[in-house]
Amino acid sequence: MTKGDKYTKEIIERILSEGCLDKNPRPKYSDGTPAHTLSVNHGMCTYDITKDESPLITLRPIATKSSIGELLWIYQDASNNLDLLRDKYGVTWWDEWDIGNRTIGSCYGETVRREDMVKKLIKGLKEDPDGRRHIICLWQEKDFKDNHGLKPCAFMTEWNVRHGRDGIDYLDMSLTQRSSDFLTAGCINQVQYLVFQHMIARHLDLKPGRFTWFYNNIQIYDRHVDQARELLSRESIPCTPKIELNPSVKDFYDFTPDDVKIIDYPKELIKKKNPQMKFDLGI
Protein backbone atom coordinates (compact mmCIF):
# COMPACT_ATOMS: atom_id res chain seq x y z
CA MET A 1 0.00 0.00 0.00
CA THR A 2 1.05 3.63 -0.34
CA LYS A 3 2.17 5.37 2.83
CA GLY A 4 -0.94 7.53 2.40
CA ASP A 5 -3.13 4.40 2.55
CA LYS A 6 -1.31 3.27 5.68
CA TYR A 7 -1.77 6.59 7.46
CA THR A 8 -5.39 6.84 6.31
CA LYS A 9 -6.38 3.54 7.87
CA GLU A 10 -4.48 4.32 11.07
CA ILE A 11 -6.19 7.71 11.44
CA ILE A 12 -9.67 6.32 10.71
CA GLU A 13 -9.17 3.54 13.25
CA ARG A 14 -7.98 6.05 15.85
CA ILE A 15 -10.94 8.37 15.30
CA LEU A 16 -13.50 5.56 15.40
CA SER A 17 -12.01 4.06 18.57
CA GLU A 18 -10.95 7.22 20.46
CA GLY A 19 -12.80 10.12 18.88
CA CYS A 20 -14.96 12.47 20.95
CA LEU A 21 -18.32 13.76 19.70
CA ASP A 22 -18.64 17.54 19.66
CA LYS A 23 -21.61 19.12 21.46
CA ASN A 24 -22.21 22.41 19.66
CA PRO A 25 -20.89 22.24 16.08
CA ARG A 26 -20.64 25.34 13.91
CA PRO A 27 -21.31 23.59 10.55
CA LYS A 28 -24.68 22.39 9.33
CA TYR A 29 -25.67 20.00 6.57
CA SER A 30 -27.65 21.31 3.61
CA ASP A 31 -30.90 20.21 5.27
CA GLY A 32 -30.12 22.36 8.33
CA THR A 33 -29.16 19.49 10.65
CA PRO A 34 -26.14 20.22 12.89
CA ALA A 35 -23.07 18.50 11.44
CA HIS A 36 -21.52 16.70 14.40
CA THR A 37 -18.05 15.16 14.21
CA LEU A 38 -15.94 12.55 15.92
CA SER A 39 -12.44 13.95 16.34
CA VAL A 40 -9.03 13.45 17.89
CA ASN A 41 -6.30 16.01 18.52
CA HIS A 42 -2.69 16.16 17.41
CA GLY A 43 -0.77 13.99 15.00
CA MET A 44 1.54 13.96 12.03
CA CYS A 45 2.22 12.14 8.79
CA THR A 46 5.67 12.37 7.22
CA TYR A 47 7.00 11.32 3.82
CA ASP A 48 10.51 11.01 2.41
CA ILE A 49 10.02 12.01 -1.20
CA THR A 50 13.46 10.70 -2.15
CA LYS A 51 12.21 7.23 -1.20
CA ASP A 52 9.01 7.62 -3.26
CA GLU A 53 6.79 7.86 -0.17
CA SER A 54 3.51 9.56 -1.01
CA PRO A 55 0.32 10.80 0.71
CA LEU A 56 -1.76 9.69 -2.28
CA ILE A 57 -4.27 6.99 -1.45
CA THR A 58 -5.73 4.17 -3.52
CA LEU A 59 -8.72 3.55 -1.22
CA ARG A 60 -10.85 5.94 -3.28
CA PRO A 61 -10.29 8.23 -6.30
CA ILE A 62 -8.69 11.63 -5.59
CA ALA A 63 -9.35 14.73 -7.73
CA THR A 64 -5.73 15.79 -8.03
CA LYS A 65 -6.00 18.25 -10.94
CA SER A 66 -8.77 20.32 -9.33
CA SER A 67 -6.91 20.41 -6.04
CA ILE A 68 -3.76 21.71 -7.77
CA GLY A 69 -5.87 24.44 -9.39
CA GLU A 70 -7.16 25.44 -5.97
CA LEU A 71 -3.61 25.66 -4.63
CA LEU A 72 -2.46 27.85 -7.54
CA TRP A 73 -5.51 30.09 -7.04
CA ILE A 74 -4.37 30.76 -3.48
CA TYR A 75 -0.59 31.04 -3.88
CA GLN A 76 0.07 31.89 -7.53
CA ASP A 77 -2.95 34.00 -8.45
CA ALA A 78 -3.11 35.22 -4.82
CA SER A 79 -6.86 35.57 -5.30
CA ASN A 80 -10.06 35.20 -3.32
CA ASN A 81 -12.28 35.56 -6.41
CA LEU A 82 -14.61 32.61 -6.94
CA ASP A 83 -15.24 33.43 -10.61
CA LEU A 84 -11.51 33.16 -11.31
CA LEU A 85 -11.38 29.83 -9.47
CA ARG A 86 -14.30 28.51 -11.53
CA ASP A 87 -13.32 29.91 -14.93
CA LYS A 88 -9.57 29.16 -14.77
CA TYR A 89 -9.57 25.87 -12.87
CA GLY A 90 -13.12 24.53 -13.03
CA VAL A 91 -13.41 24.45 -9.23
CA THR A 92 -16.73 25.40 -7.62
CA TRP A 93 -16.61 23.71 -4.21
CA TRP A 94 -15.76 27.03 -2.51
CA ASP A 95 -19.05 28.59 -3.64
CA GLU A 96 -20.71 27.65 -0.35
CA TRP A 97 -18.45 30.22 1.37
CA ASP A 98 -19.30 33.11 -0.99
CA ILE A 99 -19.80 36.16 1.25
CA GLY A 100 -22.12 37.69 -1.35
CA ASN A 101 -19.69 39.36 -3.76
CA ARG A 102 -18.22 36.24 -5.43
CA THR A 103 -15.29 36.17 -3.05
CA ILE A 104 -14.49 34.31 0.15
CA GLY A 105 -13.53 37.58 1.82
CA SER A 106 -10.19 38.97 2.93
CA CYS A 107 -8.37 35.72 3.63
CA TYR A 108 -6.48 32.89 1.89
CA GLY A 109 -5.24 34.25 -1.47
CA GLU A 110 -6.05 37.80 -0.48
CA THR A 111 -3.71 37.40 2.51
CA VAL A 112 -0.99 36.01 0.23
CA ARG A 113 -1.40 39.00 -2.12
CA ARG A 114 -1.53 41.62 0.62
CA GLU A 115 1.62 40.34 2.35
CA ASP A 116 3.40 39.27 -0.89
CA MET A 117 4.05 35.96 0.86
CA VAL A 118 5.29 33.70 -1.92
CA LYS A 119 7.74 36.20 -3.42
CA LYS A 120 9.13 36.91 0.05
CA LEU A 121 9.48 33.17 0.66
CA ILE A 122 11.39 32.61 -2.59
CA LYS A 123 13.62 35.63 -1.98
CA GLY A 124 14.36 34.50 1.58
CA LEU A 125 15.24 30.94 0.55
CA LYS A 126 17.55 32.25 -2.19
CA GLU A 127 19.36 34.77 -0.01
CA ASP A 128 19.48 32.80 3.25
CA PRO A 129 19.03 29.10 2.47
CA ASP A 130 20.22 28.06 5.94
CA GLY A 131 17.70 30.33 7.69
CA ARG A 132 15.02 28.89 9.93
CA ARG A 133 12.47 31.66 9.45
CA HIS A 134 11.03 30.73 6.06
CA ILE A 135 7.34 30.64 6.95
CA ILE A 136 4.05 31.35 5.20
CA CYS A 137 1.24 31.89 7.71
CA LEU A 138 -2.30 32.54 6.48
CA TRP A 139 -3.61 33.00 10.02
CA GLN A 140 -3.64 36.80 10.22
CA GLU A 141 -6.03 38.13 12.85
CA LYS A 142 -6.41 41.51 11.15
CA ASP A 143 -7.89 39.78 8.10
CA PHE A 144 -10.72 38.36 10.17
CA LYS A 145 -12.02 41.83 11.10
CA ASP A 146 -13.44 42.13 7.59
CA ASN A 147 -15.92 39.75 6.02
CA HIS A 148 -14.54 36.30 5.37
CA GLY A 149 -16.17 33.04 4.37
CA LEU A 150 -13.94 30.60 6.22
CA LYS A 151 -10.88 30.94 8.39
CA PRO A 152 -7.86 29.08 6.95
CA CYS A 153 -7.64 25.38 7.81
CA ALA A 154 -4.31 24.51 6.19
CA PHE A 155 -2.75 27.71 7.41
CA MET A 156 1.02 27.46 7.80
CA THR A 157 4.00 26.09 5.92
CA GLU A 158 7.62 26.07 7.11
CA TRP A 159 10.48 25.61 4.67
CA ASN A 160 14.06 24.43 5.24
CA VAL A 161 16.97 23.82 2.91
CA ARG A 162 18.96 20.73 3.88
CA HIS A 163 22.47 20.11 2.58
CA GLY A 164 22.46 16.36 2.19
CA ARG A 165 25.51 14.25 2.94
CA ASP A 166 25.14 12.98 -0.62
CA GLY A 167 26.06 16.46 -1.88
CA ILE A 168 22.49 17.33 -2.92
CA ASP A 169 20.58 20.33 -1.54
CA TYR A 170 17.04 19.36 -0.54
CA LEU A 171 13.98 21.47 0.20
CA ASP A 172 12.00 20.14 3.16
CA MET A 173 8.58 21.51 4.02
CA SER A 174 5.95 21.04 6.71
CA LEU A 175 2.26 21.93 6.60
CA THR A 176 0.33 22.72 9.77
CA GLN A 177 -3.45 22.32 9.64
CA ARG A 178 -5.74 23.43 12.46
CA SER A 179 -8.68 21.31 11.31
CA SER A 180 -9.09 18.51 8.79
CA ASP A 181 -12.34 17.05 7.45
CA PHE A 182 -10.33 13.92 6.90
CA LEU A 183 -12.41 11.71 4.61
CA THR A 184 -13.20 14.46 2.11
CA ALA A 185 -9.99 16.52 2.10
CA GLY A 186 -7.23 14.95 4.21
CA CYS A 187 -5.46 13.38 1.23
CA ILE A 188 -6.22 16.31 -1.08
CA ASN A 189 -4.65 18.88 1.25
CA GLN A 190 -1.48 16.84 1.59
CA VAL A 191 -1.14 16.32 -2.16
CA GLN A 192 -1.75 20.02 -2.85
CA TYR A 193 1.05 21.12 -0.59
CA LEU A 194 3.37 18.38 -1.77
CA VAL A 195 2.92 19.80 -5.28
CA PHE A 196 3.58 23.29 -3.88
CA GLN A 197 6.83 22.00 -2.40
CA HIS A 198 7.87 20.49 -5.75
CA MET A 199 7.15 23.76 -7.57
CA ILE A 200 9.11 25.94 -5.16
CA ALA A 201 11.98 23.43 -5.20
CA ARG A 202 12.04 23.59 -9.01
CA HIS A 203 12.06 27.40 -8.92
CA LEU A 204 15.09 27.33 -6.58
CA ASP A 205 16.87 24.44 -8.34
CA LEU A 206 16.59 22.27 -5.23
CA LYS A 207 15.40 18.67 -4.87
CA PRO A 208 12.21 17.97 -2.89
CA GLY A 209 13.18 16.20 0.32
CA ARG A 210 10.84 15.51 3.21
CA PHE A 211 7.18 16.57 3.51
CA THR A 212 5.42 16.48 6.88
CA TRP A 213 1.77 17.18 7.69
CA PHE A 214 0.91 18.26 11.23
CA TYR A 215 -2.78 18.21 12.14
CA ASN A 216 -4.24 19.72 15.29
CA ASN A 217 -7.83 18.48 15.16
CA ILE A 218 -8.83 15.78 12.69
CA GLN A 219 -12.43 14.69 12.34
CA ILE A 220 -14.97 12.42 10.69
CA TYR A 221 -18.51 13.77 10.34
CA ASP A 222 -21.30 11.70 11.85
CA ARG A 223 -22.78 11.14 8.38
CA HIS A 224 -19.40 9.82 7.15
CA VAL A 225 -18.94 6.99 9.64
CA ASP A 226 -20.28 4.31 7.27
CA GLN A 227 -17.91 5.51 4.55
CA ALA A 228 -15.05 5.41 7.06
CA ARG A 229 -15.78 1.77 7.85
CA GLU A 230 -16.03 1.02 4.13
CA LEU A 231 -12.59 2.55 3.55
CA LEU A 232 -11.14 0.35 6.29
CA SER A 233 -12.51 -2.73 4.53
CA ARG A 234 -11.04 -1.82 1.14
CA GLU A 235 -7.80 -3.29 -0.16
CA SER A 236 -5.03 -1.01 -1.36
CA ILE A 237 -3.75 -1.16 -4.91
CA PRO A 238 0.03 -1.62 -5.18
CA CYS A 239 1.68 1.43 -6.76
CA THR A 240 4.36 4.05 -6.13
CA PRO A 241 2.85 7.44 -7.04
CA LYS A 242 5.30 10.21 -7.91
CA ILE A 243 4.84 13.84 -8.87
CA GLU A 244 6.45 14.82 -12.16
CA LEU A 245 6.65 18.46 -13.25
CA ASN A 246 6.95 19.70 -16.82
CA PRO A 247 10.76 19.91 -17.24
CA SER A 248 10.52 23.08 -19.34
CA VAL A 249 8.89 25.10 -16.54
CA LYS A 250 11.23 26.62 -13.97
CA ASP A 251 9.38 29.62 -12.57
CA PHE A 252 6.69 29.02 -9.94
CA TYR A 253 4.45 31.64 -11.54
CA ASP A 254 4.47 29.84 -14.89
CA PHE A 255 3.09 26.50 -13.68
CA THR A 256 -0.41 25.37 -14.61
CA PRO A 257 -2.25 22.22 -13.45
CA ASP A 258 -1.39 20.66 -16.82
CA ASP A 259 2.32 20.91 -15.93
CA VAL A 260 1.83 18.42 -13.08
CA LYS A 261 1.61 14.70 -13.76
CA ILE A 262 1.17 11.91 -11.23
CA ILE A 263 2.92 8.83 -12.52
CA ASP A 264 2.54 5.21 -11.38
CA TYR A 265 -0.92 6.03 -10.01
CA PRO A 266 -3.56 3.76 -11.63
CA LYS A 267 -6.59 6.07 -11.53
CA GLU A 268 -8.85 3.90 -13.68
CA LEU A 269 -8.10 0.78 -11.65
CA ILE A 270 -8.79 2.71 -8.44
CA LYS A 271 -12.14 3.92 -9.82
CA LYS A 272 -13.06 0.35 -10.71
CA LYS A 273 -11.86 -1.42 -7.57
CA ASN A 274 -12.43 1.33 -4.97
CA PRO A 275 -15.11 3.60 -6.44
CA GLN A 276 -15.81 7.15 -5.39
CA MET A 277 -17.98 7.87 -2.37
CA LYS A 278 -20.52 10.60 -1.66
CA PHE A 279 -20.14 12.76 1.43
CA ASP A 280 -22.68 15.19 2.91
CA LEU A 281 -20.75 18.41 3.50
CA GLY A 282 -20.90 20.38 6.73
CA ILE A 283 -20.99 24.07 5.80
Side-chain angles (χ1 to χ4, degrees):
M1 63 173 64
T2 68
K3 201 166 186 183
D5 283 338
K6 175 178 177 291
Y7 279 133
T8 294
K9 290 198 171 188
E10 288 175 355
I11 290 170
I12 291 173
E13 287 173 345
R14 183 185 170 203
I15 293 173
L16 293 181
S17 63
E18 303 175 17
C20 65
L21 186 68
D22 55 6
K23 296 181 179 179
N24 185 30
R26 175 195 57 79
K28 290 182 171 55
Y29 295 115
S30 59
D31 61 8
T33 304
H36 289 276
T37 61
L38 282 170
S39 69
V40 294
N41 294 332
H42 304 166
M44 62 174 275
C45 303
T46 189
Y47 309 88
D48 188 339
I49 303 165
T50 68
K51 295 179 180 177
D52 295 332
E53 295 176 352
S54 173
L56 271 162
I57 65 173
T58 66
L59 303 173
R60 74 175 184 88
I62 298 297
T64 53
K65 189 170 183 178
S66 297
S67 66
I68 293 165
E70 179 189 71
L71 178 108
L72 293 177
W73 175 63
I74 295 170
Y75 291 101
Q76 187 189 83
D77 300 309
S79 175
N80 62 356
N81 187 283
L82 293 168
D83 290 336
L84 174 66
L85 180 63
R86 177 196 63 207
D87 297 342
K88 188 173 182 179
Y89 302 111
V91 175
T92 59
W93 59 58
W94 281 81
D95 285 1
E96 297 288 349
W97 287 277
D98 183 354
I99 65 170
N101 60 358
R102 294 301 294 158
T103 80
I104 57 170
S106 56
C107 54
Y108 281 97
E110 176 65 14
T111 300
V112 172
R113 182 199 64 78
R114 186 183 297 115
E115 305 295 337
D116 205 12
M117 288 180 165
V118 174
K119 289 180 180 177
K120 287 179 180 176
L121 172 73
I122 292 171
K123 183 174 184 289
L125 287 166
K126 280 183 177 179
E127 295 179 354
D128 182 22
D130 293 328
R132 300 181 180 93
R133 301 176 179 179
H134 304 304
I135 299 170
I136 288 180
C137 183
L138 301 183
W139 194 272
Q140 303 290 329
E141 290 287 341
K142 64 180 180 295
D143 292 351
F144 306 149
K145 295 178 182 178
D146 301 323
N147 288 334
H148 60 277
L150 181 66
K151 289 184 171 69
C153 295
F155 74 93
M156 185 170 71
T157 53
E158 298 180 69
W159 308 72
N160 297 89
V161 175
R162 171 168 48 90
H163 308 298
R165 294 186 178 184
D166 55 3
I168 298 173
D169 288 338
Y170 295 94
L171 182 64
D172 297 332
M173 189 262 272
S174 68
L175 166 66
T176 301
Q177 189 157 347
R178 66 170 178 86
S179 174
S180 174
D181 175 1
F182 186 58
L183 295 196
T184 63
C187 176
I188 287 173
N189 288 146
Q190 292 179 75
V191 172
Q192 285 176 309
Y193 280 84
L194 181 59
V195 169
F196 191 20
Q197 179 181 359
H198 274 72
M199 289 178 173
I200 296 296
R202 169 68 63 79
H203 188 108
L204 296 168
D205 197 26
L206 300 169
K207 187 171 181 178
R210 181 172 291 277
F211 169 70
T212 300
W213 180 50
F214 296 106
Y215 56 84
N216 182 54
N217 181 268
I218 194 164
Q219 67 271 167
I220 293 175
Y221 279 88
D222 55 357
R223 292 187 181 180
H224 300 174
V225 170
D226 288 343
Q227 291 94 323
R229 292 191 175 115
E230 167 67 18
L231 285 172
L232 286 178
S233 72
R234 290 183 172 185
E235 294 184 4
S236 299
I237 298 170
C239 62
T240 311
K242 291 178 281 293
I243 291 169
E244 188 176 83
L245 300 181
N246 182 342
S248 68
V249 181
K250 308 295 183 183
D251 192 302
F252 170 71
Y253 289 95
D254 291 336
F255 281 106
T256 71
D258 290 334
D259 292 315
V260 183
K261 295 191 183 305
I262 309 238
I263 61 174
D264 194 16
Y265 187 59
K267 288 186 177 181
E268 293 306 314
L269 181 58
I270 293 170
K271 289 179 184 177
K272 182 178 179 180
K273 184 175 179 181
N274 293 325
Q276 190 57 277
M277 297 174 162
K278 291 185 177 181
F279 300 95
D280 285 349
L281 294 180
I283 304 298

